[in-house]
Amino acid sequence: MDPARPGIPYQPIIEALGNYPQKKFYNVSKLGGTKYDTLPYSIRVLFESSVRNCDGFLVKETDAMNILDWKTKQNNVEVPFCPARVVLQDFTGIPAMVDFAAMREAVRNAGGDPVKVNPACPTDLTVDHSLQIDFSKCAIQNAPNPGGGDSQKPMAKLSPLKAQPRKLPCRGQTGCKGPCGAGDSSRNSGQFSAQIENTPILCPFHLQPVPEPETVLKNQEMEFGRNRERLQFFKWSSKVFKNISIIPPETGMAHQVNLEYLSRVVFEVKDFLYPDSVVGTDSHTTMVNGLGILGWGVGGIETEAVMLGMPVMLTLPEVVGCELAGTASPLATSIDIVLSITKQLRQADVAGKFVEFFGSGVSQLSVADRTTIANMCPEYGAILSFFPVDNVTLKHLKHTGFDKAKLEVMEAYLKAVKLFRNDESSSGEPEYSQVVQISLSSIIPYVSGPKRSQDRVAVNNMKSDFQACLNEKSGVKGFQIAAEKQNDIVPVQYEGNEYKLSHGCIVIAAVISCTNNCNPSVMLAAGLLAKKAVEAGLVVKPYIRTSLSPGSGMVTHYLSSSGVLPYLSKLGFEVVGYGCSTCVGNTAPLPEAIRNAIKQGDIVACGVLSGTKNFEGRLCDCVRANYLASPPLVVAYAIAGTVRIDFETEPLGVGINGKSIYLRDIWPTRKELHTVEEECVISSMFKELKEKMEKGNKRWNLLEAPESTLFPWDLKSTYIRCPSFFDKLAKEPVSPHPIENAYVLLYLGDSVTTDHISPAGSIARSSAAAKYLTNKGLTPREFNSYGARRGNDAVMTRGTFANIKLLNKFIGKPAPKTIHFPSGQTLDVFEAAELYQKEGIPVIILAGKKYGLGSSRDWAAKGPFLLGVKAVLAESFEKVHKSQLIGIGIAPLQFLPGENPTTLGLTGREQFSVLFPQELSPGMTLDIKTSTGKVFSAIALFENDMEITLYKYGGSLNFVARRFL
């Protein structure tokens, strides 16, 4: 939408920017007077967007005035938001682009012009979620592929580093002395070289490239081999569709690249200025709010509509002001701050609200700290957590090489529209819906787990808390291990040595996830701790699956140029690649001997990772306890080999000369961290990253792809398939059909996540998806993962509710099974749904509280839709997922307050009928009848007229597609 087009309602407030008369902007601060001045900064961004995009149809003048009147209208009105751009990652990006390709096909078939089907909103797609850890330092040989995929060549023939490069003198101006080369990084090699600190594996200052670690190259080769067809489709998309750019593999994860490279802070189009803002298909898009950019994650279905020019509709939110005061403990990392804020904001009930930070403590947090906190907001339920731009932000942008002239224009514009926060004065603080006060001084180191990210455990209480978990009944924390078995020890032979496994033993330790990698201080803390540990003679047991998967190559620059990367490698934390791996369930399997020992002794084995999600069974089905921790603590626990340790009184291990080494002996001080940061966090590193992105990936550049207007679908393909969402595309909508005599496909409990609904990890060999792929002639090694096959609706439909941890009350134990009631058979969920569809019987889902928690995944709605699910009846919904259900054409129905299947006497074995009136209205109550004669009421969770319209049209995709006819 042209922001300065003639005839728009608010054209009179377009002004020139002070000393930059060629720059124009909407001076929205003049519209509202004192009302505008008291608005939270995040609401000011919404207001500017509504003014700039006001067209009288999608965005009306009343919408802008409602936002301006936020103080009285919050929670009472729906408002549209037109973000400046869209960010996709490939897991949800590929189905979006497949849908665009299918839409072109459908528009052509309906007599329209397919060339018109293009994103209207600037869109960046980052290929990052396909990374799997096939190779890590302890599994570099003979590791089977967890996703089942295979490359074009046998694993044994993967190209090693054959040619040793010339050792060039480093031309860097900091830290790196002498030639840069890869030293021996094996944990069990001989005497570690004294020159290790002066021989970083990667140096950003060389004019000629140096080799990347062997594991990175091997994982890259595997990725391009198994994902070639998907990558070719992305390449076709980049050539054919306008207004979209594809960030190739091995650049970094979507939200990390969004932060480091794509973020503008202030957009400039034809000399017109407006705030940068973004929506994305990843729930951690919120990271950019730490840079003062309004953004959050929405469903893939909503994102596709935004790409086509539709606004995001949201209830004008409450804004919780989070006042930060005091100074954090030297031992507390950003993760400790994140976990503390997570707990306090959960207790404050910020679900569905904006959080905005203010107070003296804010200026003490770096942008890296802020983005870490902002990135975790989906875990405490907020829509976003916003840090307004201030002097700290500008200083960060300057250090990253931001153009000085643009920086001056940015500052002038933000101050003109009062979007710049003056951290030296609190007299002009906005008014908030409520204020939560958090003292940074009270924060101590924590970990989170063993099953949920909100369950914090103080590090000094870890040993006793794990003991309590062993005693506690099975549930959200407990494992219910009999007292006489809690000290069981299982001996195991591995690589010629005997080790002993017991409850609490560490078997996976992963330094991973954008949450930590965006902050060099916590990553460098891990590296400095590793350096001190190696120098003290400490080691990590070789059977522990260790890995280091940075959010971007820039983090490797931090670690290598500071001289700590070889120490991490020495302990087994070697860079395995760039992208989402362990966090989304992509990890190499444990050694068979270790798996067998764990199962034989019924051991509660542990994974420790510096990620954001620790759902049970996510890492490995035999790793029952998973803890989230800061990177240095991940390394510390890996060295200890167990979570049953009191760091204050018990040593991590025995070092040189038999000396006991405690955590306090190797923990880096804040002064050490700040010194290294000053030396390593320099603008040339960001420049190097930008050049890498602009240059692209060699394999990607050489990849061939078709250039036809319509995609040439390959009927034999098991990756890319034309979906059936547009089969009934018609110009006019039809009234919603009543749901008559529907059976319950699944009867689920509380906190069902999108991982339960649509898994992203490996395809189990006994699953319905595996049967389909086998029938297509694929071997288990060629299955790959669900995430990689999101462009194939047949695989994804079969993968819906295929999570091994799915607890269906009809079955009574975790299993992806259900009962087909007409026949009484216990079947895979897909097989039962397929049978119901053949019989012409609709199905619904019964669920408890917080249905649809977790990542924003479009297939968590598309999959149930293709299974024939007409409605989900739950006690409550996660907001993003609820919107996705409406966006695909599934009715979200909510029990009345205080009611649930138990209180209503429902068994789930009844048949249910729901009658929709001719005219639906937001939040209306519907009557539901059962085959037993019982009648009860439920709320139809349509929040506005737009959602009702989308539902009537059969979802947002069909609604938008009709505009091209």
Side-chain angles (χ1 to χ4, degrees):
M1 190 177 291
D2 184 357
R5 66 198 182 287
I8 54 175
Y10 295 109
Q11 193 171 10
I13 64 167
I14 295 178
E15 294 185 2
L17 180 64
N19 296 328
Y20 310 93
Q22 75 279 16
K23 309 293 183 184
K24 302 291 190 291
F25 71 105
Y26 282 94
N27 194 347
V28 289
S29 65
K30 288 189 174 181
L31 277 179
T34 56
K35 270 189 179 180
Y36 181 85
D37 293 343
T38 60
L39 289 177
Y41 290 93
S42 51
I43 300 299
R44 296 179 197 183
V45 177
L46 290 181
F47 180 58
E48 191 281 339
S49 174
S50 67
V51 168
R52 178 169 37 87
N53 291 287
C54 185
D55 62 356
F57 176 58
L58 294 174
V59 182
K60 303 175 183 177
E61 288 186 65
T62 53
D63 294 322
M65 291 303 102
N66 282 337
I67 297 173
L68 183 62
D69 200 20
W70 167 83
K71 189 173 181 180
T72 59
K73 295 292 179 68
Q74 57 184 289
N75 271 344
N76 294 323
V77 296
E78 288 288 316
V79 295
F81 174 56
C82 299
R85 57 191 174 92
V86 170
V87 170
L88 304 172
Q89 40 85 348
D90 55 323
F91 264 21
T92 45
I94 193 162
M97 298 316 300
V98 167
D99 288 347
F100 265 74
M103 192 183 296
R104 279 196 164 196
E105 197 94 18
V107 167
R108 191 275 309 268
N109 293 340
D113 183 0
V115 177
K116 293 181 179 179
V117 180
N118 290 293
C121 183
T123 301
D124 299 295
L125 192 156
T126 302
V127 185
D128 70 329
H129 272 51
S130 58
L131 174 66
Q132 293 181 10
I133 304 176
D134 297 292
F135 299 100
S136 65
K137 192 61 186 176
C138 56
I140 194 76
Q141 311 290 332
N142 308 322
N145 170 18
D150 202 355
S151 68
Q152 302 289 328
K153 303 175 183 179
M155 197 174 298
K157 295 183 181 178
L158 289 175
S159 56
L161 291 174
K162 294 179 180 177
Q164 295 299 320
R166 291 184 298 117
K167 293 192 174 182
L168 303 172
C170 179
R171 298 170 199 167
Q173 299 175 6
T174 67
C176 181
K177 303 172 182 139
C180 286
D184 181 6
S185 57
S186 169
R187 283 187 244 175
N188 300 311
S189 62
Q191 182 64 34
F192 206 39
S193 172
Q195 296 180 338
I196 189 169
E197 61 189 316
N198 293 325
T199 56
I201 294 175
L202 296 176
C203 177
F205 304 107
H206 276 128
L207 298 182
Q208 296 187 36
V210 295
E212 296 179 282
E214 184 180 7
T215 50
V216 173
L217 293 176
K218 289 195 173 186
N219 280 310
Q220 282 182 9
E221 193 160 343
M222 289 293 287
E223 180 178 358
F224 268 81
R226 72 160 63 88
N227 295 305
R228 179 173 299 276
E229 191 177 342
R230 296 169 59 245
L231 296 176
Q232 286 176 324
F233 175 76
F234 282 137
K235 194 75 176 283
W236 171 80
S237 299
S238 69
K239 291 181 177 181
V240 172
F241 290 110
K242 299 176 182 177
N243 223 12
I244 187 166
S245 62
I246 308 290
I247 311 299
E250 296 304 324
T251 305
M253 57 184 71
H255 23 294
Q256 187 77 21
V257 171
N258 184 22
L259 177 72
E260 295 175 5
Y261 179 72
L262 303 176
S263 294
R264 282 84 152 174
V265 183
V266 171
F267 245 79
E268 182 175 335
V269 177
K270 297 178 181 178
D271 286 330
F272 204 94
L273 304 172
Y274 53 95
D276 189 3
S277 58
V278 62
V279 295
T281 51
D282 194 288
S283 57
H284 294 283
T285 303
T286 52
M287 178 188 284
V288 296
N289 289 278
L291 200 58
I293 298 169
L294 195 73
W296 67 93
V298 297
I301 299 162
E302 291 175 293
T303 304
E304 291 177 47
V306 173
M307 290 168 67
L308 285 166
M310 297 283 291
V312 174
M313 298 299 298
L314 74 158
T315 301
L316 190 59
E318 293 181 42
V319 181
V320 178
C322 185
E323 183 177 11
L324 302 181
T327 305
S329 159
L331 289 179
T333 68
S334 296
I335 305 308
D336 300 316
I337 296 172
V338 166
L339 294 177
S340 179
I341 291 175
T342 296
K343 182 175 183 180
Q344 295 191 52
L345 291 179
R346 273 189 181 276
Q347 293 171 343
D349 186 23
V350 297
K353 303 174 185 177
F354 284 8
V355 173
E356 188 167 296
F357 291 86
F358 72 102
S360 60
V362 175
S363 60
Q364 298 173 38
L365 299 179
S366 67
V367 167
D369 293 329
R370 299 175 188 193
T371 53
T372 304
I373 293 168
N375 189 36
M376 282 293 282
C377 84
E379 314 306 327
Y380 48 80
I383 297 175
L384 57 87
S385 292
F386 191 71
F387 288 84
V389 175
D390 60 8
N391 288 322
V392 174
T393 317
L394 296 182
K395 186 177 180 181
H396 167 82
L397 294 172
K398 182 180 179 181
H399 285 161
T400 60
F402 208 90
D403 182 80
K404 183 180 178 181
K406 288 184 177 180
L407 203 59
E408 291 173 351
V409 171
M410 176 194 300
E411 182 176 359
Y413 167 72
L414 292 172
K415 288 181 175 178
V417 293
K418 299 181 180 179
L419 285 173
F420 187 88
R421 182 176 179 274
N422 185 348
D423 56 0
E424 296 174 358
S425 171
S426 60
S427 58
E429 295 291 4
E431 295 180 6
Y432 295 105
S433 308
Q434 69 183 89
V435 172
V436 175
Q437 295 179 320
I438 296 178
S439 172
L440 299 180
S441 306
S442 65
I443 296 174
I444 58 176
Y446 284 92
V447 296
S448 184
K451 299 181 183 181
R452 304 186 305 175
S453 59
Q454 64 263 39
D455 295 327
R456 293 193 314 157
V457 184
V459 172
N460 56 5
N461 293 333
M462 181 64 162
K463 185 176 182 179
S464 58
D465 188 83
F466 184 79
Q467 181 64 43
C469 291
L470 293 180
N471 292 326
E472 201 170 311
K473 290 184 178 179
S474 294
V476 295
K477 283 198 72 171
F479 298 105
Q480 201 169 349
I481 303 298
E484 64 272 14
K485 292 183 176 292
Q486 290 179 7
N487 294 315
D488 285 359
I489 294 176
V490 180
V492 59
Q493 290 286 330
Y494 183 72
E495 293 185 347
N497 295 309
E498 182 174 293
Y499 299 93
K500 295 178 180 179
L501 301 184
S502 59
H503 295 296
C505 62
I506 304 288
V507 292
I508 293 177
V511 176
I512 193 166
S513 166
C514 54
T515 302
N516 309 302
N517 298 334
C518 69
N519 191 329
S521 68
V522 287
M523 295 297 289
L524 287 172
L528 291 174
L529 186 143
K531 180 177 184 291
K532 291 186 175 185
V534 169
E535 290 171 344
L538 297 176
V539 296
V540 173
K541 294 179 178 66
Y543 61 79
I544 297 177
R545 282 288 184 256
T546 50
S547 60
L548 171 62
S549 182
S552 73
M554 187 182 69
V555 177
T556 308
H557 292 328
Y558 287 145
L559 300 177
S560 60
S561 61
S562 63
V564 299
L565 191 57
Y567 292 97
L568 284 163
S569 183
K570 176 70 174 176
L571 293 179
F573 292 93
E574 183 173 351
V575 176
V576 294
Y578 306 103
C580 292
S581 51
T582 309
C583 211
V584 293
N586 297 341
T587 188
L590 299 178
E592 186 175 357
I594 303 300
R595 288 176 60 91
N596 291 340
I598 291 172
K599 292 180 178 180
Q600 172 193 333
D602 192 26
I603 296 296
V604 180
C606 301
V608 183
L609 66 151
S610 56
T612 61
K613 294 181 175 69
N614 58 340
F615 304 130
E616 187 178 4
R618 188 168 188 139
L619 298 184
C620 177
D621 59 0
C622 64
V623 180
R624 294 155 66 183
N626 298 297
Y627 288 93
L628 306 182
S630 64
L633 280 177
V634 171
V635 177
Y637 275 114
I639 293 169
T642 179
V643 298
R644 299 174 85 173
I645 181 173
D646 182 342
F647 286 134
E648 287 292 322
T649 61
E650 299 176 61
L652 291 174
V654 177
I656 299 171
N657 301 325
K659 180 183 177 183
S660 293
I661 308 297
Y662 292 81
L663 179 61
R664 58 181 172 270
D665 298 327
I666 62 173
W667 191 272
T669 66
R670 279 189 178 275
K671 184 177 181 180
E672 288 175 304
L673 283 173
H674 290 158
T675 300
V676 176
E677 277 186 291
E678 289 171 6
E679 293 177 356
C680 302
V681 184
I682 53 178
S683 60
S684 59
M685 291 184 179
F686 282 84
K687 181 181 178 182
E688 190 83 12
L689 171 69
K690 291 176 182 179
E691 288 176 355
K692 174 185 175 183
M693 293 186 64
E694 290 163 0
K695 182 179 179 181
N697 181 297
K698 183 178 180 181
R699 291 184 181 88
W700 171 263
N701 294 340
L702 295 175
L703 194 66
E704 295 182 356
E707 298 185 12
S708 53
T709 300
L710 299 178
F711 185 70
W713 306 100
D714 181 357
L715 298 180
K716 296 180 181 178
S717 173
T718 57
Y719 277 102
I720 309 295
R721 210 174 92 121
C722 188
S724 58
F725 303 122
F726 304 103
D727 285 356
K728 298 179 181 179
L729 182 64
K731 287 189 177 182
E732 298 301 323
V734 295
S735 299
H737 294 294
I739 300 171
E740 296 180 337
N741 299 316
Y743 276 107
V744 176
L745 180 64
L746 292 160
Y747 183 6
L748 306 171
D750 296 340
S751 301
V752 174
T753 70
T754 50
D755 260 4
H756 288 117
I757 303 169
S758 184
S762 303
I763 298 174
R765 297 190 180 193
S766 59
S767 66
K771 295 174 187 175
Y772 167 83
L773 294 172
T774 300
N775 289 337
K776 290 288 185 179
L778 274 65
T779 65
R781 292 193 63 80
E782 297 170 314
F783 287 172
N784 212 323
S785 65
Y786 285 113
R789 293 193 181 275
R790 289 189 179 187
N792 185 319
D793 61 320
V795 172
M796 296 308 297
T797 306
R798 286 163 173 79
T800 304
F801 296 111
N803 191 303
I804 60 172
K805 295 297 181 180
L806 181 74
L807 181 57
N808 180 6
K809 294 185 180 182
F810 293 148
I811 303 301
K813 62 180 181 179
K817 302 283 185 181
T818 195
I819 297 174
H820 176 255
F821 288 109
S823 67
Q825 298 178 81
T826 297
L827 302 169
D828 285 338
V829 175
F830 171 79
E831 292 170 345
E834 188 178 41
L835 205 49
Y836 279 125
Q837 287 184 314
K838 287 179 180 178
E839 296 164 342
I841 300 173
V843 293
I844 65 171
I845 291 170
L846 286 185
K849 300 181 182 70
K850 299 179 180 178
Y851 179 81
L853 280 173
S855 306
S856 56
R857 246 170 232 176
D858 59 336
W859 272 108
K862 290 178 177 177
F865 174 80
L866 294 179
L867 288 178
V869 174
K870 304 301 180 184
V872 177
L873 179 56
E875 291 182 65
S876 65
F877 291 82
E878 195 278 330
K879 185 176 177 65
V880 170
H881 184 64
K882 185 222 71 173
S883 299
Q884 285 185 309
L885 293 175
I886 295 170
I888 200 62
I890 295 176
L893 307 177
Q894 183 171 291
F895 288 104
L896 297 180
E899 293 186 354
N900 57 49
T902 302
T903 62
L904 293 171
L906 302 174
T907 65
R909 296 172 181 267
E910 306 89 347
Q911 287 181 272
F912 294 75
S913 297
V914 184
L915 180 62
F916 292 93
Q918 189 71 24
E919 293 298 325
L920 283 169
S921 60
M924 74 182 307
T925 300
L926 305 177
D927 287 333
I928 300 177
K929 300 178 181 179
T930 71
S931 54
T932 61
K934 188 174 189 64
V935 179
F936 63 96
S937 297
I939 302 168
L941 289 185
F942 302 111
E943 296 185 16
N944 51 63
D945 292 334
M946 176 62 79
E947 288 191 343
I948 291 172
T949 300
L950 294 181
Y951 180 70
K952 285 182 176 180
Y953 272 81
S956 58
L957 296 181
N958 279 278
F959 176 78
V960 172
R962 286 184 179 92
R963 297 170 62 189
F964 295 109
L965 299 181

